[in-house]
Amino acid sequence: MKRIVVLTGAGMSVESGLSTFRDADGLWENYPVARVATHEAWERDPVYVNNFYNMLRKKLVQAGPNEGHRLVAALEEKYEVTVVTQNVDNLHEAAGSSHVIHLHGELMKVCSSRDTEDPDSLRTLTPDNLEVKPGEKAADGSLLRPYIVFFGEAVPNITVAADYASRADMFVIIGTSLNVYPAAGLVQYVAQGTPVWLIDPKPVMAAGRHDVRHIMKGASEGMRQLYGELMGR
């Protein structure tokens, strides 16, 4: 079974009603990175940071996977599919994708602020329990924090993702500007001669590769086209 690796960014989830962070009307416009997405922000005001992610969770549970998510999942009928996502939502899983690697953390999870990878402190929140309350503690006694990779922190899963990219028979990029490293560098691990598709309505520089086939459409429309080609329909 051929292996497809799909790298997705914020543009994948826009059609589900979730705001991007970087666009002109994105979340960073109203919530500057320095206040909600750095370790220093957490140290300075953990309540404010937790409240920001509490708000995002409420938006997430009102959203659902779009056709693009569902078509990525449907590729598993014929291919071995690994999704590598920069998104912190769980919409790929909700659509049925069985192997998803999250590079930047998972919004529906919370963890220890002493050791973010401590399995005993990692918790998945539920739609009826979305909020981390002020002063709420993890199992190790530290404050609960979002299971999010803040700016400046290491990206634990990047090595795993790079390994999958290097062994891909096909590589698909959807809805990412390829401006955020280290995720943007994953395309460099894809072997020369391996087919690479890029689905995004805007021009994107694919890290110096000249063999990328660009489908200039949104996530759902672009995946509809690619799905038809790959599944022979």
Side-chain angles (χ1 to χ4, degrees):
M1 188 179 283
K2 287 194 171 182
R3 297 182 292 264
I4 296 181
V5 174
V6 182
L7 172 65
T8 66
M12 186 81 224
S13 297
V14 164
E15 293 170 39
S16 293
L18 299 181
S19 299
T20 64
F21 286 89
R22 294 172 180 277
D23 287 345
D25 57 349
L27 286 166
W28 295 150
E29 286 286 312
N30 297 316
Y31 300 93
V33 171
R35 289 213 62 191
V36 295
T38 65
H39 186 73
E40 292 74 20
W42 168 259
E43 292 282 329
R44 187 168 56 246
D45 195 345
V47 173
Y48 184 88
V49 173
N50 270 331
N51 282 341
F52 173 74
Y53 293 96
N54 289 343
M55 177 269 292
L56 291 187
R57 285 186 208 102
K58 291 174 186 173
K59 291 180 181 294
L60 175 56
V61 298
Q62 294 169 1
N66 59 55
E67 185 184 6
H69 291 108
R70 290 190 289 272
L71 288 172
V72 168
L75 289 174
E76 294 187 17
E77 297 169 22
K78 186 176 176 180
Y79 299 95
E80 181 183 313
V81 182
T82 298
V83 177
V84 179
T85 186
Q86 299 173 78
N87 300 335
V88 296
D89 61 59
N90 59 358
L91 297 181
H92 280 296
E93 291 90 339
S97 287
S98 60
H99 187 206
V100 183
I101 298 170
H102 285 269
L103 293 179
H104 297 155
E106 297 178 62
L107 183 57
M108 291 299 290
K109 293 182 178 180
V110 290
C111 61
S112 157
S113 52
R114 185 177 301 140
D115 177 6
T116 57
E117 298 302 320
D118 173 20
D120 294 329
S121 294
L122 192 62
R123 271 175 37 201
T124 300
L125 300 179
T126 59
D128 58 354
N129 179 29
L130 292 171
E131 294 197 8
V132 175
K133 298 175 179 60
E136 195 169 350
K137 300 287 180 65
D140 65 359
S142 69
L143 286 176
L144 268 180
R145 63 161 266 185
Y147 187 58
I148 300 292
V149 177
F150 291 148
F151 281 88
E153 292 181 333
V155 179
N157 284 330
I158 193 65
T159 304
V160 177
D163 180 57
Y164 276 97
S166 70
R167 293 184 288 116
D169 296 306
M170 289 174 266
F171 194 76
V172 181
I173 305 162
I174 308 174
T176 172
S177 63
L178 294 179
N179 285 328
V180 180
Y181 283 83
L186 286 175
V187 71
Q188 297 173 358
Y189 288 88
V190 179
Q192 290 298 321
T194 299
V196 178
W197 287 271
L198 169 65
I199 298 173
D200 197 285
K202 300 176 184 176
V204 176
M205 291 296 292
R209 289 192 67 128
H210 304 292
D211 55 348
V212 176
R213 181 177 167 196
H214 191 174
I215 300 174
M216 294 189 74
K217 297 177 179 178
S220 292
E221 190 181 0
M223 264 310 299
R224 206 176 305 134
Q225 177 178 328
L226 182 58
Y227 180 84
E229 292 181 22
L230 293 178
M231 303 299 274
R233 297 176 186 173

